[in-house]
Amino acid sequence: VTLNGSYGNTYDFKGPASLGILIGGRYENDWQFTREQRRTSWLVPDPSGSGKLVSGVKDTLEQEETDNTISYAALATAELNLNDDQSLSTTFFYTRLTDKRYIETVGFLAENAYDISSGTWEWEERQLWSTQVVGDHHFDHFADLDVDWGVTYANANREKPDSRYYEYVLGDDGQYQFQP
């Protein structure tokens, strides 16, 4: 699901003053599902002592991954022209991205020589916002002095509030048992 919207306009006031604005926003909620089989093998010395390399034990795993990404973004800008010599403008930008992921793996791990069932949960959030104010001024009465200034502030952060891994090993009784 994706939603987008924007609005822009210019407003003229009495005299030379005008105000222009632009506002935009976006929302997206995206789901991805992948299923894959992973098989690995390596070469090992032949146990018969022939000196040849033969294919070793293989990992045989099936993995399913579900990803959900939710993102928001907003942009707003305004410019006020008081006259031909004086203008002020401001811009605000915000974006937030949330990733949720679940990975389930089932199969045989040759390194440990047992069957496993594992699950990985991950949650990550990233955010950025920025604001800026800018002024352009021209003064005819002060030797054609031009003053251009600007102030910007931005903040970015990343949080990973939840990340978990569970592993179960197939026991002799045919039941998966939790591995601490």
Side-chain angles (χ1 to χ4, degrees):
V1 175
T2 301
L3 301 172
N4 293 304
S6 63
Y7 173 79
N9 205 350
T10 300
Y11 302 96
D12 292 322
F13 302 109
K14 289 184 179 182
S18 66
L19 173 67
I21 63 169
L22 175 64
I23 301 169
R26 176 181 174 92
Y27 166 81
E28 186 172 5
N29 187 349
D30 183 45
W31 288 86
Q32 297 281 332
F33 177 79
T34 57
R35 178 179 292 141
E36 64 182 38
Q37 292 184 346
R38 295 177 17 193
R39 304 199 191 295
T40 57
S41 63
W42 52 90
L43 297 175
V44 295
D46 187 351
S48 68
S50 69
K52 294 183 179 180
L53 295 177
V54 295
S55 180
V57 180
K58 300 176 182 177
D59 289 339
T60 306
L61 300 169
E62 290 190 23
Q63 188 172 53
E64 293 181 350
E65 182 174 336
T66 304
D67 293 297
N68 178 218
T69 301
I70 301 170
S71 62
Y72 307 90
L75 173 70
T77 186
E79 182 172 345
L80 176 62
N81 292 307
L82 300 171
N83 55 44
D84 290 340
D85 295 333
Q86 312 291 325
S87 70
L88 297 170
S89 65
T90 185
T91 302
F92 173 78
F93 175 74
Y94 173 79
T95 183
R96 180 177 182 90
L97 186 69
T98 301
D99 286 320
K100 297 181 279 184
R101 177 176 297 115
Y102 177 69
I103 302 168
E104 182 178 32
T105 305
V106 177
F108 180 74
L109 263 181
E111 179 181 358
N112 300 331
Y114 55 70
D115 288 293
I116 67 159
S117 174
S118 68
T120 302
W121 290 92
E122 295 176 345
W123 179 304
E124 183 177 10
E125 297 175 352
R126 295 178 300 278
Q127 176 176 288
L128 168 70
W129 66 271
S130 173
T131 187
Q132 180 180 46
V133 179
V134 175
D136 295 319
H137 310 281
H138 178 76
F139 300 98
D140 286 334
H141 304 299
F142 295 106
D144 283 335
L145 176 65
D146 286 321
V147 177
D148 298 329
W149 57 273
V151 176
T152 302
Y153 180 78
N155 184 321
N157 63 41
R158 175 184 174 265
E159 294 183 25
K160 198 165 186 178
D162 195 9
S163 185
R164 301 175 190 189
Y165 177 77
Y166 301 98
E167 184 175 288
Y168 298 87
V169 174
L170 187 62
D172 295 334
D173 60 357
Q175 300 293 316
Y176 282 100
Q177 299 167 2
F178 178 70
Q179 288 297 106

